[in-house]
Amino acid sequence: MTFKTIEIERHGRAALIRLNRPEALNALNSELIAELDSALSDFESDPEIGCVVLTGSEKAFAAGADIKEMRDKNFAEALLENFLGRWDTVARARKPIIAAVSGFALGGGCELAMMCDFILASESAQFGQPEIKLGVMPGAGGTQRLTRAVGKAKAMDLCLTGRMMDAQEAERAGLVARVLPAAELLPEAIKTSQRIAAMSAPAVLSVKEAVNRAFETSLAEGVRFERRAFHALFATHDQKEGMAAFIEKRPPQFQNR
Ligand code: CO8
């Protein structure tokens, strides 16, 4: 399938989705969201793909929802067409998604990065929720995911002032997993994605589900959930293979990838 606003590549079992609207700093319009939804849904159901990288350009991961598309919308239109309702494909994906962020990740762009499972950032990355400066507020999870990632003080500071946070601050605050030199960002993101995609898929999906459970439930419930998921993995061939390979000092040959 050919897309107009995104590009896709395959790197073995890792897939790459590159947002590609350079004329608008990758602003997220309906067409881009629909194409992203379509590409991700394909990768979700493709057994040859184990992990996805989502990236933008060197200048911008995404500078937010498309302001030109939004400006004339009224409440009834937004409600009836479920405006931006298709955004959460990224958040609902079962396979891991890594955001590789260079340049601006603002508004909906920052929210999109936060829907991914973790963020690798280049030294040029800038994160922010500048919606307040447009007379609105974050609408795709910004007030919730940012607060969980960086805590109340910094989330309030960013959402109320609309200021940007650079990569170093974002890493210190816990929003970003690792900061890399610009030239290393994409190679490292793809390598990381391939590394995850080489693991046993039931273990990968279970880890993702269990870590996400930490944000939805109490500690005791989360720990119970984790133990059940851990027990369940003993029903897989890959558990036998992974442990045998360790004892026999050889690389594992996982079946369920
Ligand atoms: N929407 C539409 N067009 C944009 C956007 C955007 N968000 N951001 C940049 N562009 C366009 C500019 O209009 C410009 O187009 P043109 O050349 O035709 O004038 C082009 O991209 C280049 O932009 P600039 O000339 O402004 O580039 P600069 O390097 O001078 O500045 C900035 C870069 C600082 C990133 C600046 O472009 C900027 O402030 N952009 C807007 C950032 C913003 O406010 N983002 C939040 C948008 S609202 C939002 O995301 C709400 C999300 C709500 C929910 C989402 C739902 C799911």
Side-chain angles (χ1 to χ4, degrees):
M1 183 157 177
T2 50
F3 296 109
K4 275 169 59 187
T5 61
I6 61 171
E7 294 173 343
I8 57 175
E9 291 169 19
R10 286 167 181 262
H11 297 264
R13 291 181 46 74
L16 175 72
I17 302 177
R18 184 183 287 109
L19 308 179
N20 187 32
R21 289 190 71 214
E23 71 284 2
L25 299 181
N26 292 334
L28 307 160
N29 65 2
S30 306
E31 186 179 28
L32 186 149
I33 297 300
E35 292 191 347
L36 181 58
D37 175 49
S38 163
L40 255 184
S41 303
D42 287 349
F43 290 137
E44 274 284 280
S45 57
D46 184 344
E48 300 301 316
I49 295 298
C51 187
V52 178
V53 175
L54 181 60
T55 196
S57 67
E58 214 171 302
K59 180 147 192 223
F61 177 75
D66 192 312
I67 299 168
K68 292 167 190 165
E69 188 183 61
M70 273 187 302
R71 64 179 263 185
D72 293 326
K73 242 177 233 317
N74 63 38
F75 171 69
E77 283 165 354
L79 182 70
L80 294 176
E81 74 191 42
N82 190 18
F83 180 52
L84 305 172
R86 281 177 84 179
W87 271 62
D88 56 356
T89 316
V90 177
R92 280 188 286 103
R94 298 172 72 220
K95 291 178 184 174
I97 305 178
I98 302 169
V101 175
S102 257
F104 300 113
L106 301 176
C110 186
E111 292 171 308
L112 183 62
M114 290 191 293
M115 284 179 206
C116 297
D117 296 302
F118 61 94
I119 300 174
L120 299 179
S122 85
E123 284 157 347
S124 73
Q126 300 264 357
F127 298 88
Q129 297 290 158
E131 291 91 340
I132 190 96
K133 295 198 278 183
L134 301 171
V136 288
M137 63 178 287
T143 60
Q144 305 303 300
R145 290 196 178 92
L146 188 64
T147 307
R148 281 167 165 80
V150 305
K152 178 179 169 182
K154 217 173 258 295
M156 284 288 190
D157 177 12
L158 289 162
C159 293
L160 287 173
T161 66
R163 78 169 177 90
M164 292 188 221
M165 168 163 81
D166 68 19
Q168 306 300 341
E169 183 182 358
E171 188 188 28
R172 278 197 308 275
L175 179 64
V176 158
R178 280 184 265 158
V179 180
L180 298 152
E184 288 172 29
L185 177 69
L186 212 49
E188 183 58 31
I190 292 167
K191 212 167 83 191
T192 303
S193 182
Q194 289 170 329
R195 183 174 177 170
I196 293 169
M199 306 293 180
S200 168
V204 167
L205 265 55
S206 300
V207 166
K208 174 167 172 166
E209 199 181 355
V211 173
N212 282 333
R213 193 53 76 100
F215 295 97
E216 306 287 352
T217 191
S218 68
L219 178 61
E221 269 312 310
V223 169
R224 240 192 306 276
F225 177 86
E226 180 194 74
R227 188 164 313 128
R228 281 291 170 271
F230 174 72
H231 290 161
L233 292 174
F234 283 77
T236 64
H237 167 276
D238 288 346
Q239 174 266 327
K240 303 289 174 291
E241 169 60 13
M243 293 191 181
F246 173 80
I247 292 162
E248 292 159 22
K249 301 188 189 301
R250 60 173 175 84
Q253 299 290 324
F254 292 127
Q255 263 181 10
N256 289 116
R257 296 194 319 164

